[in-house]
Amino acid sequence: MLFTRTKLSDRQERAVQKTLHNLRQQRRNRFRILACIDGTEESFITVTFAARLAVNDECDIIVLYVRPIDQALWSGGLQLRIARQNMMESGFELPGVRDLKRSLEILKEEGIDVESWPQEASHQDAWGDPAGDTKVEYRSPKGRSVVLKLKTAPDAAHGILDQYELGPYNLMVLGEPSRWRSEFKAWFGTGVVQEVVTHASCSVLVARPSLDKEGFFICTDGSSRSMQAVRRAAVLAHMQGASITLFSVAPDEASRPAAEEAVANAKALLKAMKITVTDTRTAVGDTVDEIIETGSSYRIIVVTDEGRSRLQRIFKGSKASDVVRGARTSVLDVR
C-alpha cells in the first residue's frame, strides 16, 4: 500500500475516541450540513444550498475540500504552520484554501457573515502527509458554527465518507453526478458522487443548478419509511417558505387508488404538523421515469431510500439512486 494512516498509540487512540464521543453528544441537538466542494465554479452551489437550508442558529455548516495525497506531495511538502496560516491569511495557498475562502464570500452573500465571529484553527496529522487535516471554526455569539475543513485523503470519495464518520451530520450536499460510469462531463470526478451516495448513512442532497426553480417535490409510496421522509423533508421546505407538492406513482390504473391514498395520508400528516401542502399529484407508470419527468421542474425532488444496506445498494441499486442519477434538478435522498 502506497499511503498509510498515521499510527496512534493505544492511549492516544482512546483519547481520540473519547473526544469524538463527547463531540457527537454535543452535536446531537444541532442540524449539521456538510457541503462538499472540489474547486470548480459549479461546485459552489453546494455552499449556497447549505446556506439556504441552514435557516437558523440551530444549524451548523461545514464546508469540506478534500485534497488527494498526491497533491500534497506535488506541492512540495509544505510545513504544517504554513497550512494553518493559509487557512486564515492570504499569501501562500495550498490547493483548496482559496476555494474555502470563496465559500465564506458565498455564505456572506446568503446572509451568514462570519467576519466578526471568534475563530479557532486546529490541525491533525493524516496519512503521513505534511499538510494533514486543517480546519478553521467560526462560532457566532448565538452558538452557530461555520467550519472550513481542508482534508487530506487518498481520494475525494474516501475523504468525504471519512469526514462523515467524524460527524454526525444530518445532511451531505454534493455536486451534480454528470458522469455516472458512461457519461462524459463531471465536476466531481467519476464515481465520487455515486460512491458517496451509495455508502452514506445520512441524507444526501445532490445539487444541480435548480435554485431558480420553485418548490419541494416530495415523493411517497405510503410506507412508514416514506412517511418519515415526507415529514422530515416537509420541515425543511416549511422552514424555507418553499411550496410543497406531494407525489405518488402507481404501476397501473388498478393501483392508482393506493397512490392517491398515499398522498392523502401524507397531506393529513403534514396538516397535523400545521404545514401547508400546495398540491398533490399521482401518476401511472414506471416509478423512476414518472418522478424524473414530473419532478424535474421543481427545485428539489425528495425521494426515500428503500432501507437497503450498503451492500444491497451496491449490488442491487435502488430507485432513489436511479432518480438521483437521472433527474434534471436537485435530488434529496432521505435516510
Side-chain angles (χ1 to χ4, degrees):
M1 188 174 180
L2 186 56
F3 300 109
T4 58
R5 286 180 177 275
T6 301
K7 297 291 185 182
L8 300 177
S9 67
D10 290 343
R11 183 175 61 84
Q12 289 172 320
E13 183 64 31
R14 286 195 297 272
V16 168
Q17 292 304 319
K18 183 178 180 180
T19 300
L20 289 175
H21 174 76
N22 292 337
L23 280 175
R24 291 188 179 110
Q25 292 301 316
Q26 294 171 13
R27 293 168 176 172
R28 290 196 184 284
N29 294 325
R30 312 287 301 172
F31 188 84
R32 291 167 48 80
I33 302 175
L34 180 66
C36 305
I37 61 173
D38 68 353
T40 60
E41 185 64 27
E42 295 90 341
S43 72
F44 290 107
I45 195 172
T46 64
V47 181
T48 304
F49 263 107
R52 296 190 185 186
L53 291 169
V55 295
N56 59 39
D57 292 324
E58 305 301 317
C59 302
D60 299 329
I61 298 174
I62 297 85
V63 183
L64 176 69
Y65 183 102
V66 178
R67 297 174 62 246
I69 293 173
D70 59 345
Q71 287 192 30
L73 297 178
W74 171 75
S75 70
L78 297 177
Q79 297 299 314
L80 304 182
R81 62 180 178 81
I82 297 178
R84 190 179 304 118
Q85 178 182 339
N86 271 309
M87 295 294 289
M88 298 180 290
E89 302 175 359
S90 60
F92 297 104
E93 290 194 345
L94 292 169
V97 173
R98 179 184 57 194
D99 305 306
L100 290 171
K101 290 178 179 176
R102 170 78 188 287
S103 298
L104 290 184
E105 297 171 4
I106 294 172
L107 291 176
K108 184 176 182 179
E109 292 169 0
E110 293 295 325
I112 303 174
D113 186 0
V114 305
E115 188 172 349
S116 62
W117 298 2
Q119 62 177 269
E120 181 178 350
S122 60
H123 176 84
Q124 185 176 12
D125 294 339
W127 298 97
D129 185 285
D133 296 346
T134 304
K135 74 174 185 179
V136 178
E137 180 173 14
Y138 301 82
R139 187 170 290 278
S140 77
K142 294 183 178 179
R144 165 176 274 196
S145 174
V146 171
V147 175
L148 305 182
K149 180 73 176 281
L150 184 63
K151 189 174 184 64
T152 300
D155 56 71
H158 193 118
I160 293 169
L161 291 168
D162 193 37
Q163 183 63 32
Y164 168 77
E165 296 297 330
L166 298 174
Y169 295 97
N170 301 89
L171 176 65
M172 280 199 282
V173 189
L174 303 171
E176 179 180 9
S178 56
R179 194 168 61 180
W180 290 65
R181 295 186 183 280
S182 60
E183 298 176 24
F184 294 101
K185 295 176 60 180
W187 43 271
F188 271 106
T190 302
V192 172
V193 175
Q194 184 177 8
E195 185 171 350
V196 173
V197 170
T198 300
H199 290 279
S201 298
C202 71
S203 299
V204 179
L205 172 65
V206 176
R208 292 182 170 90
S210 62
L211 289 169
D212 58 339
K213 300 179 181 178
E214 297 291 337
F216 277 51
F217 185 79
I218 304 177
C219 304
T220 178
D221 61 6
S223 65
S224 58
R225 187 179 185 86
S226 172
M227 295 294 272
Q228 286 290 329
V230 168
R231 181 177 60 81
R232 292 162 62 186
V235 169
L236 273 180
H238 181 68
M239 291 177 70
Q240 291 186 66
S243 62
I244 296 173
T245 295
L246 298 173
F247 185 68
S248 187
V249 181
D252 49 51
E253 280 295 343
S255 303
R256 186 187 284 273
E260 293 173 342
E261 183 180 6
V263 295
N265 289 341
K267 184 177 181 179
L269 170 68
L270 298 185
K271 182 179 180 180
M273 297 168 63
K274 302 187 183 307
I275 295 177
T276 301
V277 173
T278 305
D279 193 14
T280 60
R281 304 179 66 170
T282 59
V284 174
D286 178 81
T287 301
V288 173
D289 291 345
E290 293 296 332
I291 291 174
I292 291 174
E293 183 61 29
T294 308
S296 288
S297 61
Y298 293 80
R299 176 176 295 180
I300 296 177
I301 294 174
V302 179
V303 292
T304 311
D305 186 86
E306 294 121 297
R308 291 180 170 177
S309 67
R310 295 179 184 180
L311 282 176
Q312 287 174 323
R313 287 187 213 132
I314 292 171
F315 292 109
K316 296 182 178 179
S318 73
K319 288 184 172 60
S321 297
D322 290 343
V323 174
V324 169
R325 181 174 61 246
R328 300 183 295 278
T329 191
S330 302
V331 179
L332 173 60
D333 184 355
V334 178
R335 295 172 184 171

